[in-house]
Amino acid sequence: MAGHNKWSKVKHIKAVVDAKRGKIFSKFSKEITIAAKLGGANADMNPRLRTAILAAKAQNMPNDNIDRAIKKGTGELEGAIPDEALYEAYGPGGTAFLIEVVTDNRNRAPADLRSLLNKNHGTFADAGSVSYQFQRKGEIRLPESAFDEDTATELALECGADDVSSDGEDWVFLTPVESLFQVGTALKDKGHEPRGQNLVYLAENPLLLTDLELAKQVVNLHEVLSDYDDTQNVYSNFNIADEIADQLA
C-alpha cells in the first residue's frame, strides 16, 4: 500500500476548485458523448458509457445534462459530435505529459496545444515516445474519512482492486481497466459509494522534483494544459518533494 505525497493533495484541491467552477460538468458531458458515439446509448451494453455516467453522478451532475450528452453522441440532437485524441509532450526537466483532448476541430486543438507548450517550456513529442512510460488503470476514490487503513486494505483485497493508497484526501483504489466497473460495484455493495470512478494513466517511474523553480515551471505547464477548453485530462510523470509542495501551496 503506497503512501501519499503532498503534491497529490494539491492536485486534488485543484480538481475540487474546478468542480466548483463548473468545468467538470463540461468534461463529463464530452466523455459521455464520446462513449455514446462509440458504443451506443445503452449503458448496460457500453462499459465506457456506464463508467462515465457513474463518474458524473458521483459529482452530482444533473440527469438532464447526462441525457443530453448521450443524445448528442447518438445523433439524436443536432450539433457537431466531437472527436477524441491523445497527445504526447515533454515538459521542463525531462518531464513527460499525456494530454487527453475532446474537440470538434482536429486541426485547431494540436495547433493550440503546440502554442501553449512552446510558451511554457514544453514541446510536442512523437507518438509513442512518452506513452510507454504510463500504465492505463481504473481509479476509484472514496473519502479518507470513511474508514481506516486496515479497512481500506481489506476492501481492496475483497473487491478485486490491485492496490489502494491515500492522497491525503481520498482512498484511491487502482484496478485493471477491465475490472473498474466490477470493483466499483463491489465497493457499493459493501455500502461505500465512490465519489470518483475513472480510467486514468499512471506513470510507472515518477520523477521527483526537488528544485523550486523547476517545480513552478512544471506545475504552470500542467495548469495551462489543463485549463485549455478542449482538454479532458492531463497526466504527467512528475511528483514534487513535500518541502517544495509546501512552498507551492
Side-chain angles (χ1 to χ4, degrees):
M1 175 172 170
H4 74 267
N5 175 278
K6 288 184 179 179
W7 168 240
S8 298
K9 186 171 182 177
V10 171
K11 287 191 293 184
H12 176 74
I13 291 170
K14 185 181 187 302
V16 171
V17 171
D18 284 346
K20 290 179 179 178
R21 287 160 55 190
K23 289 185 64 175
I24 199 166
F25 283 178
S26 174
K27 292 186 177 183
F28 282 137
S29 291
K30 289 179 180 179
E31 172 61 17
I32 290 168
T33 295
I34 287 290
K37 172 187 175 182
L38 296 177
N42 187 342
D44 291 333
M45 302 296 292
N46 185 342
R48 180 171 176 178
L49 178 60
R50 187 166 61 231
T51 296
I53 291 172
L54 287 171
K57 287 185 173 180
Q59 295 294 334
N60 300 312
M61 184 171 172
N63 287 331
D64 286 348
N65 295 37
I66 293 172
D67 291 340
R68 281 197 301 272
I70 293 173
K71 289 178 179 178
K72 185 174 182 180
T74 57
E76 294 178 62
L77 292 180
E78 292 185 1
I81 301 177
D83 293 316
E84 61 180 343
L86 180 68
Y87 297 104
E88 305 179 34
Y90 293 112
T95 51
F97 285 79
L98 291 179
I99 311 153
E100 286 184 332
V101 167
V102 174
T103 181
D104 57 9
N105 189 325
R106 290 292 293 261
N107 294 319
R108 181 194 66 220
D112 288 349
L113 289 173
R114 186 181 302 277
S115 176
L116 291 174
L117 287 162
N118 290 342
K119 292 176 181 177
N120 294 278
H121 308 283
T123 58
F124 259 132
D126 294 333
S129 60
V130 165
S131 57
Y132 78 93
Q133 301 180 51
F134 295 80
Q135 283 187 319
R136 192 67 158 158
K137 287 284 188 179
E139 179 190 87
I140 300 170
R141 289 178 171 271
L142 292 168
E144 191 178 278
S145 58
F147 39 77
D148 60 18
E149 181 177 331
D150 289 340
T151 302
T153 302
E154 184 177 337
L155 281 170
L157 291 171
E158 291 178 350
C159 296
D162 286 342
D163 191 20
V164 62
S165 62
S166 164
D167 70 357
E169 292 285 330
D170 290 333
W171 292 114
V172 182
F173 293 79
L174 297 178
T175 79
V177 170
E178 65 276 7
S179 302
L180 175 61
F181 179 74
Q182 291 90 332
V183 174
T185 299
L187 287 167
K188 284 195 286 187
D189 288 345
K190 291 182 177 294
H192 302 290
E193 185 71 32
R195 65 177 179 188
Q197 183 169 312
N198 299 285
L199 292 174
V200 299
Y201 286 97
L202 294 181
E204 293 189 307
N205 296 294
L207 179 65
L208 185 65
L209 304 183
T210 58
D211 179 81
L212 178 59
E213 291 307 313
L214 176 59
K216 285 180 178 179
Q217 289 183 356
V218 174
V219 170
N220 178 68
L221 177 59
H222 190 283
E223 292 184 347
V224 166
L225 294 172
S226 297
D227 287 341
Y228 177 59
D229 285 344
D230 288 347
T231 297
Q232 283 293 92
N233 296 290
V234 177
Y235 304 99
S236 187
N237 68 339
F238 71 89
N239 236 326
I240 296 177
D242 284 353
E243 62 274 15
I244 302 298
D246 284 336
Q247 296 179 64
L248 292 174

